[in-house]
Structures are given as C-alpha cells and as structure tokens.
Amino acid sequence: MMDSEVSLLLHCAAWRGLLESQVQVELSERFNRQTDPALERLIDEVWTERVSKEPWLFNGSKFRLHSFCLASSPSVSPKHPSCSQPTLISFSDCAEEQEGELQHSRQTVKENLCITDGLHDAAQSSLDRNGPVKTESVDRVSESITAEPSSKNTDDQDTTPLLTLRLGLTCYKDYLGTNWSCQVAELRQRGEEEFSDPLVLLAQPLGVGGILCTDNGQVVFIRRSQRVAEAGGLLDIPGGHPEPKVVCERLGHAVCEEQISVDMMQQRLVVSELFSSVCAEIRDEVNIPLSSLGEPVLMGVALNHTSAGRPSAEFYVSCSLTSDEVRKLYWKGGAEAHESTDIVFLSRTEVLQLDRSSPLWSELCPSAKGAVLLYQTVKPDGERGHDTQLVASGNVSR
C-alpha cells in the first residue's frame, strides 16, 4: 500500500519485533547533523517566529537517528537470538517502500528473512515532490552494505543484539528550523551536493509511538488537540520522544538541555530510555498505570514525509485492562491530557484491514499510519517465542 506521507525504514518481522535486550545503540557526535552559520541563523529565525505564535513550545534535547545495523540471520528466534554479520544501512541510502516491495517483503517474512530498506531513495523521493535534485545509481546502496559493522557495546548483555541504532543529538528547535523549514528542499539539495547525503543538514529527531492493545483486543487511538505543533485534530497513537535529559538525570547529571552531550550518557541507559519512553507516553497521554502495560516490542522505524522523512520507532504494547477500563482512565485525565480530545478503539482485525480505501485512513496522522503499516507487516501479537511480561512501574519510571 503506497502513501506519500509515510514509508517504512526498517521492520523486524522475522522476529515479530525485538525486545529491549535485542537492541543496542552507538552514540557519537559524528552522527549529529552538519551545519554552518547561515543555517544557524535560519533556525533562529524560524524558532523566534514559531514561539511568537505558539509560546508554549519548548526546546528540548532529542536523539538524532543517523543509521542502523540489523542482523540478517533467518534462523534467529526472539528468545534465543544470535547475530550473523550485520548490515549497515545509512539514512542517506533508504528506499521508500512501494506497493510491490511491501508485498515482496511480506513474502520474504514468510520465508523467515528480515528485510531492511536503505534510506537514500526515500529522501530522494520525498525531495522530488518539492523540487529537482541530483539522482544517483542504486549501486550506492550496495556500497553502504559493505560499510564497517557497528562497534560492540561495552556493556555486558545476556543476548547478542540484533539491531544497532546509531544516534547523535539534536533538539526540537533544530527540528522546526530544518525539517519543518520552508527551505527544507534547498537544505536537502545542499546536503546531497556537498555531502552526498540529502538528510545531513536536517535534525531528524527520533520519535517513539505505541500500538496499544487492550486485554479484549482493541487498539487505542487518540484524537490530537488543535494546540499541538503537528497534525492537530487527527487520530494518532500515544507517542513522543526518548529524552537525553532523562538519561543524564538517571546518571546523576544535573544539566540543562543545551549542555547535554553524548559523552554524558551510557549506551544501555539510552536503550532503556528508548523502550521505557513509549510506556511513559502511554501513561501520560492515556492515563494507564505502568504496571498494566506489557513489555514494549519494537516493530521497526517509520518515516514521516510530511516532516521531511522524520523517523519514529514504533512499538507494540499490550495492556492488561479492557477497553472500557482504559476509556474510564482516559477521561479521568493524565499528565498530558491536554494533548488530545478523544479516545477511539479499533479491533485488531479492523487495524489489520486498514488501507487507503478505508474512510478512517484519511483521519490518521502520518505517525499513526506508519505504526499501522508496521503492525500489519510485523504482526507482533502473533505467536512469539517468549511470553510478554508485565513491567514493574519502577522499571519505566521517568
């Protein structure tokens, strides 16, 4: 199913999603965006204008997704993973998934193989909608596959990670000043011409979202308030961002957002924040206690092309409460109740059958569309090689 607003960067269908122990990160300033004085002036101008209209906006530090490395072994189970030689995929080598490719990937999943899509063509396709750019041979994707494997995480782990996310740092101000700038097409063209990477000048903050499924098989959607910065009035899934500041605070660093650097953080705690942040967002937006939520399962990463290909890690999270119990909690109001105005439930079957011909599809914001596509591809609530355990509230406290 093609939709110009979204595409899938990667999915983990071969494992029906990944658990926290199967994911690691590599942190480096090398994965930050490139910049120059003219671009910084543009970002300052955009931020000043936005804040004058929306004084509630807050500039927080975010993680920037640069690239990822995903194992390609067809025989790995979620419970007992092992890692074959990984493949490095850069954001500048991502191909937008088309209808035929999605069908092919689903067939490949049946053969127990996990497919990752490169990133350059997705950025190129999105840029083509905004203006002419240089084109490049697909041979470049094969070049990226031979790039060096990511370095090993220094923290001891019980299992070998199947996915490595390469992360730098960015912030919300930079996101609005690059991905949402009226000059984003020019920025991507400059990135392509000067760095052979159309995304190198963009913030590309990594978001998180959760397909939340109740005990009676209903998937939770919320209708976004008109006061949020993006997609006001549309249906969404609970979500937000993993926060670098939370990682620093857990390590005892009392720093302001502007002082945060990658050397202040530990890689394992960043992974923990990535997974726990989606549960915290569900708690704050839907008012569900953390003790009622299952262990998050990472389905993959989707790209939002209405914001220049901004990435979001999408999770599946089970809930021990029924839809009626969730509805009652929602209307009592959570910490971020102001971000939505209504709650909507769809059955698993309805979500699996959603497509562009469905009347509801046009009501979904891009992040929700990406999460639905990943849910349909990965099917994380099918038979798995492990039992999902409820997480204790202390494990995902913010």
mmCIF file of all heavy atoms in Angstrom, residues 58-94:
data_model
loop_
_atom_site.group_PDB
_atom_site.id
_atom_site.type_symbol
_atom_site.label_atom_id
_atom_site.label_comp_id
_atom_site.label_asym_id
_atom_site.label_seq_id
_atom_site.Cartn_x
_atom_site.Cartn_y
_atom_site.Cartn_z
ATOM 1 N N PHE A 58 8.577 24.280 23.601
ATOM 2 C CA PHE A 58 9.733 24.093 24.478
ATOM 3 C C PHE A 58 10.851 23.418 23.698
ATOM 4 O O PHE A 58 10.624 22.436 22.996
ATOM 5 C CB PHE A 58 9.350 23.234 25.689
ATOM 6 C CG PHE A 58 10.515 22.786 26.529
ATOM 7 C CD1 PHE A 58 11.202 23.695 27.326
ATOM 8 C CD2 PHE A 58 10.930 21.472 26.503
ATOM 9 C CE1 PHE A 58 12.287 23.278 28.095
ATOM 10 C CE2 PHE A 58 12.007 21.045 27.271
ATOM 11 C CZ PHE A 58 12.689 21.964 28.068
ATOM 12 N N ASN A 59 12.056 23.957 23.802
ATOM 13 C CA ASN A 59 13.191 23.394 23.070
ATOM 14 C C ASN A 59 13.915 22.368 23.930
ATOM 15 O O ASN A 59 14.695 22.702 24.809
ATOM 16 C CB ASN A 59 14.171 24.500 22.662
ATOM 17 C CG ASN A 59 15.331 23.936 21.860
ATOM 18 O OD1 ASN A 59 15.178 22.937 21.149
ATOM 19 N ND2 ASN A 59 16.489 24.561 21.981
ATOM 20 N N GLY A 60 13.646 21.098 23.686
ATOM 21 C CA GLY A 60 14.293 20.022 24.424
ATOM 22 C C GLY A 60 15.278 19.258 23.560
ATOM 23 O O GLY A 60 15.152 19.191 22.333
ATOM 24 N N SER A 61 16.276 18.666 24.201
ATOM 25 C CA SER A 61 17.251 17.838 23.509
ATOM 26 C C SER A 61 16.602 16.536 23.044
ATOM 27 O O SER A 61 15.753 15.971 23.734
ATOM 28 C CB SER A 61 18.422 17.536 24.451
ATOM 29 O OG SER A 61 19.360 16.686 23.836
ATOM 30 N N LYS A 62 16.992 16.049 21.858
ATOM 31 C CA LYS A 62 16.453 14.807 21.292
ATOM 32 C C LYS A 62 17.594 13.967 20.726
ATOM 33 O O LYS A 62 18.692 14.468 20.493
ATOM 34 C CB LYS A 62 15.440 15.095 20.172
ATOM 35 C CG LYS A 62 14.354 16.107 20.520
ATOM 36 C CD LYS A 62 13.446 15.631 21.635
ATOM 37 C CE LYS A 62 12.407 16.703 21.988
ATOM 38 N NZ LYS A 62 11.651 16.333 23.209
ATOM 39 N N PHE A 63 17.311 12.692 20.495
ATOM 40 C CA PHE A 63 18.270 11.831 19.824
ATOM 41 C C PHE A 63 18.076 11.930 18.316
ATOM 42 O O PHE A 63 16.957 11.976 17.824
ATOM 43 C CB PHE A 63 18.096 10.382 20.261
ATOM 44 C CG PHE A 63 18.490 10.134 21.697
ATOM 45 C CD1 PHE A 63 17.522 9.928 22.665
ATOM 46 C CD2 PHE A 63 19.820 10.118 22.071
ATOM 47 C CE1 PHE A 63 17.875 9.710 23.988
ATOM 48 C CE2 PHE A 63 20.187 9.896 23.394
ATOM 49 C CZ PHE A 63 19.218 9.694 24.352
ATOM 50 N N ARG A 64 19.174 11.958 17.586
ATOM 51 C CA ARG A 64 19.126 12.004 16.123
ATOM 52 C C ARG A 64 19.512 10.641 15.559
ATOM 53 O O ARG A 64 20.600 10.132 15.817
ATOM 54 C CB ARG A 64 20.086 13.068 15.578
ATOM 55 C CG ARG A 64 20.074 13.189 14.062
ATOM 56 C CD ARG A 64 21.052 14.254 13.577
ATOM 57 N NE ARG A 64 20.854 14.529 12.164
ATOM 58 C CZ ARG A 64 21.515 13.913 11.183
ATOM 59 N NH1 ARG A 64 22.409 12.974 11.465
ATOM 60 N NH2 ARG A 64 21.269 14.230 9.909
ATOM 61 N N LEU A 65 18.609 10.046 14.775
ATOM 62 C CA LEU A 65 18.904 8.761 14.150
ATOM 63 C C LEU A 65 19.716 8.976 12.881
ATOM 64 O O LEU A 65 19.251 9.611 11.935
ATOM 65 C CB LEU A 65 17.611 8.006 13.829
ATOM 66 C CG LEU A 65 17.797 6.635 13.172
ATOM 67 C CD1 LEU A 65 18.604 5.697 14.065
ATOM 68 C CD2 LEU A 65 16.451 6.014 12.831
ATOM 69 N N HIS A 66 20.918 8.455 12.870
ATOM 70 C CA HIS A 66 21.812 8.594 11.718
ATOM 71 C C HIS A 66 21.740 7.380 10.789
ATOM 72 O O HIS A 66 21.644 7.506 9.573
ATOM 73 C CB HIS A 66 23.241 8.787 12.218
ATOM 74 C CG HIS A 66 24.282 8.767 11.136
ATOM 75 N ND1 HIS A 66 24.880 7.592 10.692
ATOM 76 C CD2 HIS A 66 24.837 9.764 10.411
ATOM 77 C CE1 HIS A 66 25.752 7.879 9.736
ATOM 78 N NE2 HIS A 66 25.754 9.182 9.555
ATOM 79 N N SER A 67 21.777 6.188 11.374
ATOM 80 C CA SER A 67 21.776 4.957 10.591
ATOM 81 C C SER A 67 21.486 3.795 11.524
ATOM 82 O O SER A 67 21.353 3.977 12.729
ATOM 83 C CB SER A 67 23.128 4.754 9.888
ATOM 84 O OG SER A 67 24.191 4.820 10.822
ATOM 85 N N PHE A 68 21.391 2.600 10.961
ATOM 86 C CA PHE A 68 21.144 1.426 11.795
ATOM 87 C C PHE A 68 21.838 0.214 11.211
ATOM 88 O O PHE A 68 22.252 0.199 10.051
ATOM 89 C CB PHE A 68 19.646 1.150 11.953
ATOM 90 C CG PHE A 68 18.971 0.704 10.679
ATOM 91 C CD1 PHE A 68 18.904 -0.640 10.340
ATOM 92 C CD2 PHE A 68 18.384 1.625 9.830
ATOM 93 C CE1 PHE A 68 18.281 -1.058 9.169
ATOM 94 C CE2 PHE A 68 17.756 1.224 8.656
ATOM 95 C CZ PHE A 68 17.706 -0.124 8.329
ATOM 96 N N CYS A 69 21.975 -0.800 12.028
ATOM 97 C CA CYS A 69 22.635 -2.036 11.635
ATOM 98 C C CYS A 69 21.765 -3.190 12.111
ATOM 99 O O CYS A 69 21.526 -3.336 13.303
ATOM 100 C CB CYS A 69 24.013 -2.083 12.293
ATOM 101 S SG CYS A 69 24.962 -3.558 11.981
ATOM 102 N N LEU A 70 21.246 -3.999 11.182
ATOM 103 C CA LEU A 70 20.295 -5.052 11.515
ATOM 104 C C LEU A 70 20.820 -6.410 11.069
ATOM 105 O O LEU A 70 21.265 -6.568 9.936
ATOM 106 C CB LEU A 70 18.942 -4.778 10.840
ATOM 107 C CG LEU A 70 17.799 -5.760 11.132
ATOM 108 C CD1 LEU A 70 17.428 -5.722 12.608
ATOM 109 C CD2 LEU A 70 16.584 -5.419 10.275
ATOM 110 N N ALA A 71 20.787 -7.389 11.981
ATOM 111 C CA ALA A 71 21.225 -8.741 11.639
ATOM 112 C C ALA A 71 20.349 -9.309 10.542
ATOM 113 O O ALA A 71 19.177 -8.970 10.428
ATOM 114 C CB ALA A 71 21.179 -9.639 12.867
ATOM 115 N N SER A 72 20.915 -10.197 9.750
ATOM 116 C CA SER A 72 20.170 -10.758 8.619
ATOM 117 C C SER A 72 19.980 -12.259 8.724
ATOM 118 O O SER A 72 19.589 -12.901 7.767
ATOM 119 C CB SER A 72 20.893 -10.442 7.307
ATOM 120 O OG SER A 72 22.224 -10.937 7.346
ATOM 121 N N SER A 73 20.277 -12.839 9.904
ATOM 122 C CA SER A 73 20.145 -14.290 10.047
ATOM 123 C C SER A 73 18.693 -14.713 9.964
ATOM 124 O O SER A 73 17.842 -14.155 10.634
ATOM 125 C CB SER A 73 20.730 -14.744 11.382
ATOM 126 O OG SER A 73 20.415 -16.100 11.617
ATOM 127 N N PRO A 74 18.354 -15.718 9.148
ATOM 128 C CA PRO A 74 16.965 -16.165 9.040
ATOM 129 C C PRO A 74 16.548 -17.141 10.129
ATOM 130 O O PRO A 74 15.407 -17.546 10.185
ATOM 131 C CB PRO A 74 16.930 -16.855 7.675
ATOM 132 C CG PRO A 74 18.316 -17.423 7.540
ATOM 133 C CD PRO A 74 19.234 -16.410 8.192
ATOM 134 N N SER A 75 17.473 -17.543 10.996
ATOM 135 C CA SER A 75 17.165 -18.611 11.941
ATOM 136 C C SER A 75 17.162 -18.151 13.383
ATOM 137 O O SER A 75 17.231 -18.960 14.288
ATOM 138 C CB SER A 75 18.190 -19.738 11.786
ATOM 139 O OG SER A 75 19.499 -19.252 12.011
ATOM 140 N N VAL A 76 17.099 -16.839 13.605
ATOM 141 C CA VAL A 76 17.161 -16.305 14.957
ATOM 142 C C VAL A 76 15.772 -16.212 15.558
ATOM 143 O O VAL A 76 14.849 -15.702 14.934
ATOM 144 C CB VAL A 76 17.811 -14.904 14.958
ATOM 145 C CG1 VAL A 76 17.845 -14.345 16.366
ATOM 146 C CG2 VAL A 76 19.212 -14.982 14.378
ATOM 147 N N SER A 77 15.599 -16.734 16.752
ATOM 148 C CA SER A 77 14.320 -16.597 17.450
ATOM 149 C C SER A 77 14.417 -15.474 18.458
ATOM 150 O O SER A 77 15.496 -15.153 18.929
ATOM 151 C CB SER A 77 13.969 -17.897 18.179
ATOM 152 O OG SER A 77 14.839 -18.072 19.284
ATOM 153 N N PRO A 78 13.300 -14.810 18.805
ATOM 154 C CA PRO A 78 13.348 -13.737 19.776
ATOM 155 C C PRO A 78 13.877 -14.183 21.138
ATOM 156 O O PRO A 78 14.482 -13.417 21.855
ATOM 157 C CB PRO A 78 11.888 -13.276 19.870
ATOM 158 C CG PRO A 78 11.261 -13.724 18.597
ATOM 159 C CD PRO A 78 11.965 -15.001 18.259
ATOM 160 N N LYS A 79 13.640 -15.446 21.495
ATOM 161 C CA LYS A 79 14.008 -15.894 22.827
ATOM 162 C C LYS A 79 15.494 -16.222 22.923
ATOM 163 O O LYS A 79 16.133 -16.002 23.940
ATOM 164 C CB LYS A 79 13.185 -17.122 23.206
ATOM 165 C CG LYS A 79 13.312 -17.512 24.680
ATOM 166 C CD LYS A 79 12.340 -18.615 25.021
ATOM 167 C CE LYS A 79 12.398 -18.971 26.509
ATOM 168 N NZ LYS A 79 11.442 -20.029 26.843
ATOM 169 N N HIS A 80 16.044 -16.772 21.838
ATOM 170 C CA HIS A 80 17.450 -17.161 21.851
ATOM 171 C C HIS A 80 18.148 -16.563 20.636
ATOM 172 O O HIS A 80 18.504 -17.269 19.700
ATOM 173 C CB HIS A 80 17.590 -18.683 21.834
ATOM 174 C CG HIS A 80 16.891 -19.343 22.971
ATOM 175 N ND1 HIS A 80 17.343 -19.259 24.265
ATOM 176 C CD2 HIS A 80 15.753 -20.077 23.018
ATOM 177 C CE1 HIS A 80 16.538 -19.931 25.063
ATOM 178 N NE2 HIS A 80 15.555 -20.425 24.331
ATOM 179 N N PRO A 81 18.353 -15.242 20.624
ATOM 180 C CA PRO A 81 18.911 -14.602 19.430
ATOM 181 C C PRO A 81 20.394 -14.870 19.268
ATOM 182 O O PRO A 81 21.138 -15.047 20.217
ATOM 183 C CB PRO A 81 18.654 -13.111 19.690
ATOM 184 C CG PRO A 81 18.654 -12.999 21.170
ATOM 185 C CD PRO A 81 18.053 -14.286 21.682
ATOM 186 N N SER A 82 20.812 -14.924 18.030
ATOM 187 C CA SER A 82 22.225 -14.891 17.694
ATOM 188 C C SER A 82 22.358 -13.956 16.510
ATOM 189 O O SER A 82 21.395 -13.695 15.820
ATOM 190 C CB SER A 82 22.734 -16.288 17.335
ATOM 191 O OG SER A 82 22.055 -16.788 16.202
ATOM 192 N N CYS A 83 23.537 -13.443 16.291
ATOM 193 C CA CYS A 83 23.670 -12.386 15.288
ATOM 194 C C CYS A 83 24.630 -12.802 14.190
ATOM 195 O O CYS A 83 25.769 -13.145 14.453
ATOM 196 C CB CYS A 83 24.157 -11.098 15.958
ATOM 197 S SG CYS A 83 24.132 -9.667 14.883
ATOM 198 N N SER A 84 24.156 -12.792 12.972
ATOM 199 C CA SER A 84 25.035 -13.022 11.840
ATOM 200 C C SER A 84 25.733 -11.712 11.508
ATOM 201 O O SER A 84 25.539 -10.710 12.156
ATOM 202 C CB SER A 84 24.222 -13.505 10.643
ATOM 203 O OG SER A 84 23.343 -12.498 10.222
ATOM 204 N N GLN A 85 26.564 -11.727 10.480
ATOM 205 C CA GLN A 85 27.224 -10.489 10.082
ATOM 206 C C GLN A 85 26.173 -9.425 9.785
ATOM 207 O O GLN A 85 25.310 -9.603 8.939
ATOM 208 C CB GLN A 85 28.074 -10.726 8.828
ATOM 209 C CG GLN A 85 28.824 -9.486 8.345
ATOM 210 C CD GLN A 85 29.895 -9.065 9.330
ATOM 211 O OE1 GLN A 85 30.424 -9.876 10.056
ATOM 212 N NE2 GLN A 85 30.210 -7.783 9.352
ATOM 213 N N PRO A 86 26.220 -8.276 10.478
ATOM 214 C CA PRO A 86 25.180 -7.275 10.312
ATOM 215 C C PRO A 86 25.362 -6.457 9.054
ATOM 216 O O PRO A 86 26.419 -6.459 8.431
ATOM 217 C CB PRO A 86 25.357 -6.390 11.560
ATOM 218 C CG PRO A 86 26.809 -6.510 11.896
ATOM 219 C CD PRO A 86 27.200 -7.907 11.514
ATOM 220 N N THR A 87 24.302 -5.765 8.696
ATOM 221 C CA THR A 87 24.306 -4.884 7.546
ATOM 222 C C THR A 87 24.086 -3.455 8.008
ATOM 223 O O THR A 87 23.127 -3.187 8.710
ATOM 224 C CB THR A 87 23.193 -5.270 6.559
ATOM 225 O OG1 THR A 87 23.444 -6.592 6.089
ATOM 226 C CG2 THR A 87 23.154 -4.322 5.376
ATOM 227 N N LEU A 88 24.965 -2.553 7.612
ATOM 228 C CA LEU A 88 24.821 -1.144 7.974
ATOM 229 C C LEU A 88 23.996 -0.434 6.916
ATOM 230 O O LEU A 88 24.310 -0.498 5.734
ATOM 231 C CB LEU A 88 26.192 -0.475 8.091
ATOM 232 C CG LEU A 88 26.168 1.045 8.265
ATOM 233 C CD1 LEU A 88 25.539 1.390 9.620
ATOM 234 C CD2 LEU A 88 27.557 1.638 8.169
ATOM 235 N N ILE A 89 22.937 0.219 7.349
ATOM 236 C CA ILE A 89 22.101 0.998 6.433
ATOM 237 C C ILE A 89 22.121 2.437 6.895
ATOM 238 O O ILE A 89 21.808 2.747 8.031
ATOM 239 C CB ILE A 89 20.656 0.501 6.417
ATOM 240 C CG1 ILE A 89 20.636 -1.001 6.082
ATOM 241 C CG2 ILE A 89 19.821 1.256 5.397
ATOM 242 C CD1 ILE A 89 21.088 -1.355 4.712
ATOM 243 N N SER A 90 22.497 3.349 6.015
ATOM 244 C CA SER A 90 22.556 4.766 6.358
ATOM 245 C C SER A 90 21.266 5.454 5.974
ATOM 246 O O SER A 90 20.576 5.047 5.045
ATOM 247 C CB SER A 90 23.725 5.435 5.631
ATOM 248 O OG SER A 90 23.647 6.835 5.722
ATOM 249 N N PHE A 91 20.955 6.549 6.665
ATOM 250 C CA PHE A 91 19.786 7.333 6.310
ATOM 251 C C PHE A 91 19.883 7.806 4.872
ATOM 252 O O PHE A 91 18.896 7.964 4.187
ATOM 253 C CB PHE A 91 19.698 8.570 7.212
ATOM 254 C CG PHE A 91 18.551 8.520 8.160
ATOM 255 C CD1 PHE A 91 18.773 8.425 9.525
ATOM 256 C CD2 PHE A 91 17.262 8.566 7.702
ATOM 257 C CE1 PHE A 91 17.709 8.376 10.398
ATOM 258 C CE2 PHE A 91 16.192 8.521 8.576
ATOM 259 C CZ PHE A 91 16.426 8.426 9.927
ATOM 260 N N SER A 92 21.089 8.030 4.400
ATOM 261 C CA SER A 92 21.239 8.529 3.033
ATOM 262 C C SER A 92 21.101 7.433 1.995
ATOM 263 O O SER A 92 21.313 7.658 0.827
ATOM 264 C CB SER A 92 22.606 9.200 2.871
ATOM 265 O OG SER A 92 23.632 8.276 3.117
ATOM 266 N N ASP A 93 20.753 6.224 2.423
ATOM 267 C CA ASP A 93 20.600 5.115 1.481
ATOM 268 C C ASP A 93 19.260 4.416 1.621
ATOM 269 O O ASP A 93 19.144 3.226 1.352
ATOM 270 C CB ASP A 93 21.708 4.084 1.675
ATOM 271 C CG ASP A 93 23.059 4.655 1.347
ATOM 272 O OD1 ASP A 93 23.165 5.293 0.296
ATOM 273 O OD2 ASP A 93 23.984 4.471 2.151
ATOM 274 N N CYS A 94 18.229 5.130 2.067
ATOM 275 C CA CYS A 94 16.945 4.474 2.333
ATOM 276 C C CYS A 94 16.018 4.548 1.138
ATOM 277 O O CYS A 94 15.802 5.596 0.584
ATOM 278 C CB CYS A 94 16.271 5.125 3.532
ATOM 279 S SG CYS A 94 14.654 4.459 3.849
#
